[in-house]
Amino acid sequence: MTDEISYMCGRCGRRHEGLPFSYGSDAPAYWRDELATEETSQLTDEQCVIQREHFFVRARIVIPVIDADEEFDWGVWVTVSQPNFNRMNEVWTTTGREHEPSYFGWLSTEIPIYQPTTLNLKTRVHTQPVGERPLVELEPTDHPLAVEQRTGITLARVQQIAEELLHPLT
């Protein structure tokens, strides 16, 4: 979050210090709390397995902010095939892993401000250097999230996102 930007919220009518440039999800959309007691399911900060059948990695969708010096970031989950998940684990702590080919995946986070849903958008997952989360490249479709990733957003859009997520209309 940047400290230099404050904004007047169109939802609550108050001035907020700092404009959030990042939001994330703690688990894939398909995770349920009762899965935590199953031996075949596991959720960590960076990976998730559901019933030894579905494999997820935590990643980032980065969106350029065309009138600011920083990028906007959605923290998301992507499901990948078991072989790709296994390969990602093999190189998890390997220097140079960012040179791995990208992996196909399906976006597994629902970002509520987008219609239609963001669930199951096609992606490419690009491994980053050790210690950094993978980057997600959305298939270049006309979905609003994919368009924003390609073309960028403005600070006004960052503010709109903050207002919608932090002060949703009931």
Side-chain angles (χ1 to χ4, degrees), residues 60-63 74 76 78 105-107 111 118 120-126 135-141 143-150:
R60 300 169 49 228
I61 297 174
V62 175
I63 300 176
W74 288 113
V76 297
V78 178
W106 298 96
L107 189 59
I111 304 173
T118 56
N120 299 317
L121 292 176
K122 291 180 181 180
T123 70
R124 299 300 305 178
V125 180
H126 299 272
L135 294 178
V136 173
E137 176 188 5
L138 296 167
E139 179 181 53
T141 65
H143 189 282
L145 179 57
V147 171
E148 287 183 348
Q149 186 180 43
R150 284 193 313 275

Side-chain angles (χ1 to χ4, degrees), residues 27-156:
Y30 308 103
W31 180 260
R32 301 289 173 257
D33 289 339
E34 57 269 14
L35 292 169
T37 60
E38 293 185 10
E39 281 187 28
T40 60
S41 299
Q42 181 182 25
L43 174 66
T44 69
D45 288 341
E46 304 299 325
Q47 298 178 334
C48 178
V49 176
I50 296 178
Q51 298 175 329
R52 287 193 192 120
E53 292 180 22
H54 307 283
F55 304 88
F56 305 87
V57 294
R58 200 171 202 174
R60 300 169 49 228
I61 297 174
V62 175
I63 300 176
V65 180
I66 57 178
D67 54 351
D69 290 333
E70 62 184 297
E71 297 172 315
F72 186 86
D73 187 303
W74 288 113
V76 297
W77 291 84
V78 178
T79 185
V80 295
S81 69
Q82 184 174 7
N84 285 344
F85 184 81
N86 291 342
R87 178 62 185 160
M88 291 179 90
N89 276 326
E90 286 175 25
V91 298
W92 195 258
T93 58
T94 303
T95 302
R97 71 181 190 169
E98 64 272 19
H99 302 294
E100 285 283 303
S102 64
Y103 305 101
F104 176 80
W106 298 96
L107 189 59
S108 299
T109 298
E110 180 144 22
I111 304 173
I113 64 166
Y114 293 101
Q115 293 301 321
T117 183
T118 56
L119 281 178
N120 299 317
L121 292 176
K122 291 180 181 180
T123 70
R124 299 300 305 178
V125 180
H126 299 272
T127 305
Q128 299 300 294
V130 173
E132 294 181 30
R133 287 193 174 130
L135 294 178
V136 173
E137 176 188 5
L138 296 167
E139 179 181 53
T141 65
D142 62 352
H143 189 282
L145 179 57
V147 171
E148 287 183 348
Q149 186 180 43
R150 284 193 313 275
T151 63
I153 59 176
T154 63
L155 280 171

